[in-house]
Amino acid sequence: MLEDSKEELQNNVGGEENSETTDANTVSEKTTEITSEGAAKKETSEEINKDEKEILDEIEETNAEDAEDNDNQQRHEIPLLDYHAMSMENLVGELQRLVKNEKVQAIKKHIDGIKYEFDLKFQEFLEHKKEEFIANGGNEIDFRYNSVTKRQFNEVYSDYREKKDAYYKNLESNLKTNLEKRLQIIEDLKGLVNVEEDINTTYKNFKDLQENWRNAGPIPRTDYNNVWRTYHHHIEIFYDFLHLNRELRDLDFKHNLEEKLKLIVRANALANEPDLNKAFRELQTLHKIWKEDIGPVGKDHREQIWEEFSNATKVLHQRRQDYYKDLDKVYEVNLEKKNDIISKIKDIAENTSSNHKELQKQIKEIEALREEFFKAGKVPQKFNEETWATFKEAVKTFNKSKNAFYKNLKKEQQDNLDKKRALLEIALATKDSEDWDVATKEMKRIQGEWKTIGHVPRKYSDKIWNEFKGACNHYFDRLHALKNQSSKEELVNLEHKTACLNKLKEFQLSGDRSKDVADIKEFINEWKKYGHVPFKKKNINNKFNTILDAIFRKLDISKQESELLKYGDKIQKLSASDNENAIYKERLFIKRKIDESKNEIRQLENNLQFFSNASEENPLVKNVLKNINSQKDSLNTWKAKLKKLNILENSINKEEEDTSGEEE
């Protein structure tokens, strides 16, 4: 019998209130009809317009949910917030609050809304991080991102699902039992019309079955409407059967009519309820009472009272329609706002700055526009996905331009880092030099060049600057300490050099060129031996060189030869010092001088082309030619010095090889 009732449930999918009764002979034919009081002649399926049917379906579905568990009604009291305007962190916080404080069966719509918005925002956030990763040189396949916020969301959402599954698993058993009870009551109700007994006894059994039905408990929402339709179908069949005892039937009809008229009054009053959500929830309750708690009325009143109740429902439905139309207008305004925001983002994306400071301002502007976009409110459903996709694409375009800029900036900063590392190497190699004149010029040069180089990656900035500054400070501290300590020595050196200069002034050539050159070398060696003099007296070195040049001219010694004679003393010092670093720095210095001479000659020869039609007697041409010849002489001198240095280095290397061979 229960299986028959289940099959009957599958067939009962039509209107709620359809009843047309005649006499007892028609009772058996009605068992396959879908009937419900208040919508005579199949009014619910044929005459109710589409909008009204939708609202009735919505009410039935909501009541089915509430009937499954009374606590489920609490969902109406939990506000649905504007989750679209919330940040990911705030969404996680709201999710935690709901799962912790509210009944799990009452928050499904809230949780679904939160999850939808969180997934959208996290996907956008993840795409942004991936673009940054790729822009910084990473491979897309290697991209991984560990989000604390996402992990927290997953943990809370998993907790919600566990609670929900446990709740419905526990509920399922009770719902199934209650469904079996109700199906049995329907079977018993069907059997009343075939029992031959006193009508009063049958009526009493009928009332008992009604009471048992009221106390049978909740059933699965998926079966709710069909079970109730089947139940009411057989209730009406019983009342048709009961026409044999009109007094009992009419008494019930009268009571039911009075109760339904009260519901109509309450339904009409809802038109004045200012809180539309509250009014609609109350309407759902009235439909539930109409359907579940009150039986049918007399045939003469059925169509009329259902129409009155239906009209009250239509009024509220129209209020909802108007409300949603107004809401659609708000959504349209929100859409305009969001499209305007998207246009601003696109404009910035198309004009991304190539200046770090300005780009930082644009990044802040984009972030502010993103916040404004999320706070702008909902848009019409049909534009939701399109608007979101356009917004994401605009932000993505800006991020690509921004990342490309910083990728290039990173390359530029890496180049700057390489340049500064090269200067640091020179500073470290020079900081302990005792060739004060050369080293001081070199230190000042690299300090000036350092200032012209741009930024380096932040993580290296402080470290390389501190190392460079430390090397420079080390050298200049040594220089200043030496100056402070050697002030007295410089005065002594000045006395010696003054005496040496006076002796050179009195020097007379003997006529023996070899002897005279040897004597001059002695003067040079003695001069070099005395070292530095006070800075203000450095002119004494020029006086010494001037007298030497005059003597060299008398001996018919060229300028280059004289320079090499002077350089011979330095070569001897380098040889005696056995200092590879000193030789290396001297080589760098000479090579730089050679390059400078070559560049100067090249520039002068280019300048000479401007005077292609001028005579060589032209003063300007003469001056250029003179400078070219001077630079060529200087170039030859530096090359000769480099040759001497090479000879010295080869000699030292050979000695080391010979020494190494002897040890073996």
Side-chain angles (χ1 to χ4, degrees):
M1 295 294 288
L2 289 178
E3 292 302 319
D4 293 339
S5 293
K6 289 182 180 179
E7 182 177 353
E8 187 175 5
L9 289 180
Q10 299 302 317
N11 295 326
N12 282 333
V13 294
E16 176 186 335
E17 303 204 359
N18 186 4
S19 175
E20 176 102 17
T21 61
T22 54
D23 55 39
N25 295 329
T26 64
V27 170
S28 60
E29 298 175 1
K30 289 177 175 287
T31 57
T32 58
E33 294 181 7
I34 303 169
T35 61
S36 179
E37 186 231 341
K41 299 179 182 178
K42 301 182 181 179
E43 181 179 4
T44 56
S45 61
E46 297 177 4
E47 298 180 2
I48 298 177
N49 62 46
K50 182 179 178 183
D51 287 343
E52 186 177 353
K53 185 176 186 307
E54 285 180 358
I55 193 172
L56 290 175
D57 288 345
E58 181 183 351
I59 290 173
E60 284 195 354
E61 179 61 27
T62 303
N63 283 336
E65 288 184 48
D66 293 346
E68 188 174 76
D69 183 352
N70 290 333
D71 289 335
N72 189 52
Q73 298 182 41
Q74 293 181 6
R75 73 188 188 282
H76 301 302
E77 310 301 327
I78 305 171
L80 275 168
L81 305 180
D82 186 0
Y83 301 128
H84 184 66
M86 291 186 177
S87 66
M88 289 193 296
E89 290 75 14
N90 288 342
L91 288 172
V92 172
E94 179 63 12
L95 181 68
Q96 288 175 322
R97 188 191 70 79
L98 289 171
V99 174
K100 180 180 179 181
N101 299 320
E102 305 293 348
K103 292 185 178 297
V104 70
Q105 67 272 29
I107 56 177
K108 181 181 184 302
K109 192 174 291 186
H110 305 73
I111 300 298
D112 289 346
I114 290 173
K115 187 176 188 305
Y116 174 78
E117 292 296 341
F118 183 90
D119 288 344
L120 283 180
K121 289 180 172 64
F122 182 73
Q123 187 59 37
E124 185 214 5
F125 172 80
L126 200 63
E127 288 174 4
H128 172 61
K129 288 297 179 183
K130 183 188 288 186
E131 288 171 6
E132 283 188 344
F133 176 77
I134 295 171
N136 289 328
N139 293 322
E140 183 174 0
I141 195 171
D142 297 325
F143 176 73
R144 300 287 185 279
Y145 190 81
N146 182 21
S147 170
V148 175
T149 305
K150 175 63 172 173
R151 189 168 65 249
Q152 289 176 336
F153 180 89
N154 289 344
E155 289 173 357
V156 181
Y157 187 74
S158 177
D159 185 29
Y160 161 73
R161 292 189 63 180
E162 288 179 6
K163 285 184 176 181
K164 184 183 73 171
D165 291 345
Y167 165 78
Y168 282 110
K169 185 177 180 180
N170 181 62
L171 184 66
E172 183 179 4
S173 176
N174 292 333
L175 295 177
K176 186 176 180 181
T177 301
N178 294 340
L179 177 61
E180 297 294 331
K181 288 180 184 178
R182 289 186 183 273
L183 293 177
Q184 183 60 56
I185 291 172
I186 290 172
E187 289 301 315
D188 294 343
L189 185 61
K190 288 163 64 177
L192 289 179
V193 298
N194 299 318
V195 175
E196 292 191 12
E197 60 183 2
D198 179 70
I199 192 66
N200 290 324
T201 302
T202 301
Y203 184 72
K204 181 180 182 303
N205 291 335
F206 169 71
K207 286 296 183 181
D208 290 341
L209 288 175
Q210 281 188 311
E211 185 64 23
N212 292 340
W213 180 269
R214 294 188 187 97
N215 298 322
I219 61 176
R221 69 181 70 177
T222 53
D223 298 305
Y224 172 78
N225 285 311
N226 284 338
V227 168
W228 274 98
R229 287 181 183 123
T230 304
Y231 172 70
H232 280 289
H233 169 68
H234 290 289
I235 288 288
E236 289 178 358
I237 290 175
F238 179 78
Y239 275 110
D240 287 337
F241 167 75
L242 198 61
H243 80 287
L244 298 175
N245 191 326
R246 291 181 179 275
E247 183 179 349
L248 290 175
R249 187 185 66 173
D250 292 345
L251 190 63
D252 255 8
F253 281 170
K254 180 182 178 182
H255 171 75
N256 294 339
L257 177 61
E258 290 172 352
E259 293 302 313
K260 288 193 172 183
L261 288 174
K262 291 178 183 177
L263 293 185
I264 292 171
V265 172
R266 289 172 61 183
N268 286 327
L270 294 178
N272 300 318
E273 170 57 53
D275 187 337
L276 187 58
N277 289 329
K278 181 179 179 182
F280 191 71
R281 291 197 299 272
E282 176 68 15
L283 181 65
Q284 290 171 196
T285 302
L286 296 180
H287 272 268
K288 184 177 181 181
I289 295 172
W290 184 287
K291 178 178 182 178
E292 297 181 15
D293 297 344
I294 305 176
V297 300
K299 185 172 64 173
D300 295 341
H301 300 288
R302 289 175 187 170
E303 184 175 346
Q304 177 189 349
I305 65 166
W306 172 248
E307 185 176 350
E308 289 181 18
F309 189 59
S310 179
N311 286 338
T313 299
K314 289 178 184 178
V315 170
L316 194 57
H317 175 61
Q318 187 59 49
R319 277 189 64 194
R320 288 185 86 205
Q321 291 289 88
D322 294 341
Y323 168 78
Y324 285 122
K325 284 180 182 178
D326 292 338
L327 201 58
D328 283 341
K329 292 177 183 178
V330 174
Y331 289 169
E332 289 289 346
V333 173
N334 294 344
L335 179 61
E336 291 180 9
K337 289 180 184 177
K338 289 195 169 184
N339 285 336
D340 182 55
I341 293 169
I342 291 170
S343 296
K344 291 179 181 178
I345 294 174
K346 284 182 176 179
D347 184 59
I348 295 175
E350 291 169 1
N351 299 279
T352 306
S353 176
S354 57
N355 175 275
H356 169 68
K357 188 175 181 181
E358 290 300 319
L359 185 55
Q360 286 297 309
K361 288 182 180 178
Q362 289 183 328
I363 291 172
K364 290 180 180 178
E365 288 176 16
I366 292 292
E367 193 56 37
L369 288 171
R370 286 182 75 257
E371 290 297 320
E372 190 177 342
F373 179 87
F374 289 125
K375 291 178 181 178
K378 295 181 179 180
V379 301
Q381 186 66 32
K382 62 182 178 180
F383 295 109
N384 192 44
E385 290 188 11
E386 178 186 347
T387 306
W388 175 253
T390 308
F391 165 74
K392 276 208 312 179
E393 186 60 31
V395 174
K396 186 177 182 180
T397 301
F398 171 77
N399 287 335
K400 281 185 177 179
S401 299
K402 176 198 69 176
N403 292 338
F405 169 80
Y406 281 112
K407 185 176 182 180
N408 292 333
L409 183 63
K410 185 177 180 182
K411 183 179 181 301
E412 181 183 329
Q413 290 184 345
Q414 185 61 43
D415 292 341
N416 293 339
L417 178 62
D418 293 339
K419 292 176 183 178
K420 288 192 173 183
R421 280 174 172 165
L423 294 182
L424 175 59
E425 287 181 13
I426 296 174
L428 293 172
T430 309
K431 69 186 182 72
D432 291 315
S433 173
E434 295 186 357
D435 191 349
W436 302 104
D437 289 337
V438 175
T440 301
K441 290 179 182 177
E442 185 71 353
M443 279 295 195
K444 289 181 178 179
R445 181 189 71 80
I446 63 176
Q447 283 182 324
E449 189 175 337
W450 184 281
K451 293 177 182 178
T452 65
I453 301 174
H455 294 287
V456 301
R458 183 182 298 274
K459 63 180 179 179
Y460 299 111
S461 179
D462 291 342
K463 184 176 183 294
I464 194 169
W465 164 244
N466 289 332
E467 290 180 2
F468 181 76
K469 183 175 67 172
C472 292
N473 289 345
H474 176 79
Y475 172 78
F476 285 107
D477 287 345
R478 288 177 60 240
L479 179 61
H480 295 151
L482 180 65
K483 286 182 177 180
N484 293 334
Q485 294 173 5
S486 63
S487 58
K488 292 181 179 180
E489 293 178 5
E490 289 178 351
L491 292 173
V492 173
N493 291 338
L494 178 60
E495 292 177 6
H496 288 307
K497 284 194 172 185
T498 301
C500 182
L501 180 63
N502 291 334
K503 285 191 291 182
L504 183 63
K505 288 178 181 179
E506 297 173 357
F507 175 73
Q508 298 294 325
L509 296 175
S510 66
D512 184 344
R513 193 175 188 279
S514 297
K515 180 178 180 303
D516 290 337
V517 170
D519 290 340
I520 290 171
K521 284 184 177 180
E522 288 297 326
F523 275 112
I524 293 173
N525 291 337
E526 181 182 353
W527 187 268
K528 295 284 186 181
K529 180 176 66 175
Y530 296 135
H532 294 283
V533 299
F535 182 78
K536 293 181 180 181
K537 299 295 182 178
K538 286 186 71 175
N539 189 47
I540 195 172
N541 293 318
N542 294 332
K543 291 179 180 179
F544 181 78
N545 288 326
T546 301
I547 295 173
L548 278 181
D549 290 341
I551 295 173
F552 287 142
R553 284 194 296 272
K554 288 180 182 181
L555 290 172
D556 198 21
I557 295 175
S558 67
K559 186 173 182 180
Q560 178 179 332
E561 190 177 353
S562 66
E563 286 294 324
L564 293 176
L565 280 173
K566 297 174 186 177
Y567 191 64
D569 177 62
K570 186 162 190 176
I571 288 292
Q572 289 179 1
K573 285 186 176 180
L574 290 172
S575 175
S577 68
D578 192 19
N579 188 336
E580 290 183 11
N581 189 45
I583 295 174
Y584 170 74
K585 288 193 293 182
E586 181 66 15
R587 179 183 296 282
L588 288 179
F589 175 73
I590 294 175
K591 283 186 174 181
R592 189 169 70 250
K593 288 297 183 181
I594 290 173
D595 290 339
E596 289 175 0
S597 296
K598 287 180 178 179
N599 291 335
E600 186 65 25
I601 292 170
R602 191 180 301 110
Q603 184 62 47
L604 289 169
E605 289 176 341
N606 288 337
N607 293 343
L608 195 59
Q609 293 177 6
F610 293 107
F611 304 98
S612 57
N613 297 324
S615 169
E616 290 187 4
E617 297 302 318
N618 185 302
L620 292 175
V621 175
K622 279 185 176 182
N623 186 55
V624 173
L625 290 171
K626 181 181 177 182
N627 287 338
I628 290 174
N629 291 331
S630 175
Q631 287 297 331
K632 286 182 177 179
D633 290 341
S634 178
L635 176 61
N636 291 332
T637 300
W638 287 114
K639 286 182 177 179
K641 288 182 178 180
L642 182 60
K643 184 176 180 180
K644 280 184 173 289
L645 190 64
N646 288 338
I647 292 171
L648 170 64
E649 190 170 15
N650 290 335
S651 175
I652 292 173
N653 290 339
K654 189 173 184 306
E655 288 179 5
E656 290 178 352
E657 289 176 3
D658 293 342
T659 303
S660 176
E662 290 174 2
E663 290 176 353
E664 290 177 1

